[in-house]
Amino acid sequence: MAFQALYRRYRPQRFREVKGQEHVVAALRNAVRDDAVAHAYLFSGPRGTGKTSTARILAKALNCEDLDEGEPCGVCEPCRAVEAGTSLAVTELDAASNNGVEAVRDLIQRASLGTAGRTKVYIVDEVHMLSNAASNALLKTLEEPPGHVVFVLATTDPHKVLPTIRSRTQHFDFRLLGASLLTEHLREVAADAGLEVAAAAIDSAVRKGDGSARDALSALDQIVASGGAGEEDASVDEVVEGLCERDTARALGGVALACASGADPRSVAAAIAAHLRDGLLSLMAPDLVSLPDVARERVADQARRLGPAALVRALEAVGDAVLALPNAPDPRVTLEVALVKVTRPDADTAPAAILERLEHLERRAREMTTAAVEATSPLVAAPAEGAQPAGPPAPAPGLRPPVGVEGASPTIEPGSVPAPGDPSAGGPGPVPSGPSRSAGVPGGPAEPAQQPVRPPSGAPDAGGLDQAGTASAPRSGGAAGASQGRPSAPAGAPAGGAPTGGKAAGAREVLGAARGRRDEAVATPPPAPQKPALGSLGATRGRRPASPPTPPSRPEPAPAGAPPSAVDGGEAGAAAPDLVQLSGAWASEVLPQLSSVSRGRFSTGRFVDVVEGSAVLALPNAIMRDKCEEKRPELERVLALHFGRPVPVRLTVDPSVGAEGGGAATRPGDAEHEDHIDLDDLVDAPGDARTGIDRLTEAFPGAEVLGDA
Ligand SMILES: [Zn+2]
């Protein structure tokens, strides 16, 4: 027997063999059984979903000599004649190729003649293609149909069918087949046909079928003929991988592979577009993806890697290529150019390309941040436990507790503080215990910090305090320590972490702290209550969200951390904070506490001196100084709150301040703050009374105004 395409060999011959259209065939079968068949049907739906096959089965059923509940027997003479295409009871007209009125007239004439069987079925395929005249001729017949005739009008586009025709028919909508149904169908066919087909080949055919049983079977035929799973599939996958990896060579290699295996660039482009579309769907509406599971996951993974913006852009580019291909002198080049554009957005200045690059950057940034956090967190966690024992001694240098401690400091009993009188020396006092420190590190929760603090401060041992003192001092931001002439050697490094700092700084801090704590742990194994541990753990956990840049409620400068508490302890009206403390707290602790307008103004300034107990803040120019003067009370209020004592502020002008890029530049770690632009911070430029002419003449020395403007 000559080769017969699978889709023809496995064309459904009975109602029950029609896949995925149960709603249609059940109605038709019942109509046949009950002898209630309408005189005209309209079958609409995508191609390859069984419209024509169903019409033929209907013809069989209407002529079968051995009907079973509306189902044709398939063995009687009329049934076999219909199946063989020799039955006079079935007349087909393809309106796509015979759309003229003549063809329809001819059809109608025959319809009015006698009948060979019981009922004649006229099938008009692609009925929406009929010309107007033909449609009207058909309409006339539909209005007064001969009794022995049934019209089946099939169309892929029911909206283009004359409404008057539609309204005279019973309309059935055929649907695309789901991937699982199609897979099952292909497996059955393959098994029945004795084909050895790999699961991947079935998947590939299902994908190409895209919901159409006929297309899927054709694809299966093709795959079987080419001896295995579609190479085109593999090459399309390769192209998409290339897009994901932004690997131009790989994408083009995929195209070359496909073309080498004989694929037409057009079909490759269409396949790429279909693949990308599935990817987009898997991101936006996963339920709509009709793919076998394995392929579905693959596509979804690729889509995630590409990201929506890149996906849309790729889809557009390939879609454009598909449109341009029919007229392209060399279709392959057109496709390749499209792929290069997609893989090299830097070579494309279209907004979409730029958007995609942005998205790509964002994703990379996210990944890096996540990676960084993950890299540091284990360290943090481990040390935290180790630190537990270290409790009291703990003052790990690294810790830049100020943040956390600060919260606790106010509550610390004076007694505990060693030398309240001496703020600078004070550093040690409160800061002490390991636990507090650990709590402090996270910078978050003041509560946990407090608990730990008490025990140590309570009395533990002078030694502990002392130790703490040394440790804390350094950490208190190298600055304070140094200024106070503290030895505090170790601290240096850890303190490095600027109080503020962005995530990076935060991470550094954590690392430093962790390291410090570990050291301590080794040094002093002792007591360590659980509470601190919990606190530290909790704190550690809390840290990430706590986002270092803006210290919690009441940020406190590293240096200040200690002193303030000391002050609280007893020293009323203590000496003003020194310049180092002021500078240390300025950008990270004080500025953020100001209202946005004030912050904008003051951020241009910098503390340059402490004179007679007043902090001298230099501003780049007189205008800014005047503006800041208005807000001076607010600044003093914040400073007083922060340092725990009144801090008078004097404003001066120092142009070099501006040149340095604003007062916030006290520490390099504060770069983030400088980038930050708050619209509220913007102030109007001074008014300019000059006219445009004035300014023009000024700008062009020697220019003269010749006439009235
Ligand atoms: Zn029959």
Side-chain angles (χ1 to χ4, degrees):
M1 177 172 133
F3 172 79
Q4 194 179 19
L6 285 177
Y7 82 86
R8 294 186 61 192
R9 238 196 304 169
Y10 289 92
R11 171 169 274 169
Q13 301 298 347
R14 301 173 197 210
F15 285 128
R16 66 166 175 267
E17 291 170 12
V18 178
K19 298 285 176 188
Q21 318 296 346
E22 284 72 21
H23 60 297
V24 176
V25 294
L28 290 176
R29 196 164 44 212
N30 293 342
V32 172
R33 183 193 60 201
D34 303 341
D35 201 13
V37 176
H39 64 85
Y41 290 96
L42 177 62
F43 290 176
S44 67
R47 68 207 178 94
T49 48
K51 298 184 295 295
T52 314
S53 297
T54 304
R56 290 196 188 127
I57 296 170
L58 177 63
K60 263 192 223 176
L62 291 174
N63 292 283
C64 180
E65 293 166 352
D66 188 15
L67 266 186
D68 175 20
E69 287 290 298
E71 190 78 88
C73 71
V75 292
C76 67
E77 204 280 325
C79 278
R80 277 185 292 144
V82 172
E83 203 166 317
T86 56
S87 173
L88 294 176
V90 178
T91 305
E92 289 190 44
L93 173 72
D94 181 8
S97 46
N98 296 301
N99 63 353
V101 68
E102 287 310 315
V104 173
R105 287 221 180 99
D106 181 49
L107 187 82
I108 292 165
Q109 261 172 13
R110 275 191 279 158
S112 59
L113 295 178
T115 171
R118 279 194 301 162
T119 310
K120 290 187 96 169
V121 175
Y122 288 84
I123 303 172
V124 183
D125 212 357
E126 300 299 343
V127 66
H128 65 274
M129 303 282 275
L130 285 180
S131 67
N132 261 344
S135 289
N136 284 318
L138 179 61
L139 179 61
K140 257 201 133 54
T141 309
L142 290 182
E143 280 169 350
E144 301 167 21
H148 58 284
V149 169
V150 171
F151 281 94
V152 177
L153 315 177
T155 178
T156 49
D157 202 344
H159 300 289
K160 289 186 187 161
V161 177
L162 282 186
T164 40
I165 289 184
R166 257 188 292 162
S167 68
R168 285 177 171 76
T169 61
Q170 259 187 40
H171 188 171
F172 286 116
D173 206 11
F174 285 63
R175 301 169 187 157
L176 286 172
L177 278 65
S180 54
L181 185 60
L182 213 45
T183 306
E184 186 189 327
H185 181 47
L186 292 199
R187 284 208 190 108
E188 284 169 12
V189 167
D192 189 79
L195 300 173
E196 297 229 346
V197 190
I202 300 264
D203 285 356
S204 168
V206 166
R207 191 156 54 229
K208 286 183 186 150
D210 201 17
S212 158
R214 183 171 67 213
D215 289 357
L217 284 173
S218 294
L220 186 62
D221 247 342
Q222 205 179 341
I223 290 169
V224 170
S226 68
E231 277 187 39
E232 186 179 313
D233 245 39
S235 47
V236 165
D237 188 71
E238 186 71 5
V239 170
V240 176
E241 273 298 311
L243 299 187
C244 293
E245 302 300 321
R246 293 169 171 252
D247 184 342
T248 313
R250 190 170 179 182
L252 297 186
V255 175
L257 196 69
C259 293
S261 69
D264 171 28
R266 291 178 190 86
S267 68
V268 177
I272 296 171
H275 195 109
L276 292 173
R277 175 177 174 268
D278 282 334
L280 191 62
L281 282 182
S282 74
L283 283 188
M284 304 301 171
D287 291 347
L288 297 184
V289 182
S290 65
L291 285 180
D293 289 346
V294 181
R296 174 196 293 261
E297 278 167 30
R298 174 108 182 112
V299 165
D301 170 60
Q302 288 171 335
R304 271 192 298 274
R305 279 186 286 149
L306 262 175
L311 205 47
V312 168
R313 208 170 69 84
L315 205 46
E316 284 173 349
V318 176
D320 287 348
V322 171
L323 285 181
L325 284 178
N327 302 318
D330 185 345
R332 188 171 156 181
V333 172
T334 308
L335 175 58
E336 286 171 344
V337 168
L339 294 178
V340 170
K341 276 191 191 162
V342 175
T343 48
R344 297 291 305 275
D346 51 325
D348 189 349
T349 53
I354 294 168
L355 183 67
E356 185 202 324
R357 289 163 66 185
L358 265 181
E359 190 187 85
H360 187 68
L361 280 176
E362 282 175 354
R363 199 166 48 232
R364 287 290 301 277
R366 259 200 309 277
E367 286 166 6
M368 288 170 71
T369 315
T370 318
V373 171
E374 271 162 14
T376 53
S377 54
L379 276 178
V380 175
E385 269 164 59
Q388 231 167 287
L399 300 190
R400 81 147 268 335
V403 185
V405 171
E406 142 290 89
S409 57
T411 60
I412 291 175
E413 307 85 333
S416 69
V417 183
D422 174 359
S424 56
V431 189
S433 69
S436 76
R437 188 152 319 89
S438 54
V441 173
E447 303 237 293
Q450 269 170 329
Q451 293 226 336
V453 169
R454 234 167 257 140
S457 65
D461 52 56
L465 279 182
D466 212 298
Q467 218 175 330
T470 18
S472 71
R475 108 168 77 78
S476 37
S483 76
Q484 276 138 237
R486 290 235 142 221
S488 70
T500 37
K503 280 185 189 161
R508 245 179 278 128
E509 263 170 59
V510 174
L511 274 175
R515 235 179 270 129
R517 241 174 289 152
R518 204 188 296 144
D519 295 344
E520 287 165 30
V522 174
T524 20
Q530 303 81 334
K531 269 186 203 166
L534 283 182
S536 66
L537 273 178
T540 314
R541 227 175 278 125
R543 137 148 255 166
R544 251 175 264 174
S547 117
T550 8
S553 45
R554 265 192 81 230
E556 194 128 321
S565 55
V567 171
D568 284 348
E571 274 229 300
D578 65 20
L579 183 55
V580 174
Q581 288 172 323
L582 285 166
S583 301
W586 181 234
S588 57
E589 331 280 353
V590 176
L591 280 177
Q593 305 267 11
L594 294 170
S595 67
S596 61
V597 174
S598 301
R599 199 186 324 133
R601 295 180 186 175
F602 282 114
S603 64
T604 60
R606 173 164 63 93
F607 283 115
V608 292
D609 201 358
V610 176
V611 178
E612 294 169 7
S614 292
V616 181
L617 182 72
L619 292 153
N621 55 52
I623 295 173
M624 193 47 81
R625 184 198 53 201
D626 294 347
K627 293 221 172 240
C628 286
E629 186 61 38
E630 294 169 16
K631 299 286 183 186
R632 192 164 52 84
E634 184 188 342
L635 174 60
E636 287 176 338
R637 203 161 52 239
V638 169
L639 285 172
L641 250 171
H642 182 80
F643 288 104
R645 69 186 84 105
V647 181
V649 174
R650 207 178 288 170
L651 303 179
T652 66
V653 173
D654 179 356
S656 70
V657 169
E660 285 167 32
T666 12
R667 257 162 299 162
D670 294 334
E672 292 87 348
H673 287 277
E674 292 167 15
D675 304 325
H676 173 75
I677 295 177
D678 187 337
L679 287 183
D680 294 339
D681 293 351
L682 300 177
V683 289
D684 291 334
D688 188 344
R690 296 171 305 165
T691 67
I693 296 287
D694 290 340
R695 271 180 281 176
L696 271 176
T697 47
E698 220 169 88
F700 295 93
E704 271 178 72
V705 179
L706 294 177
D708 285 347

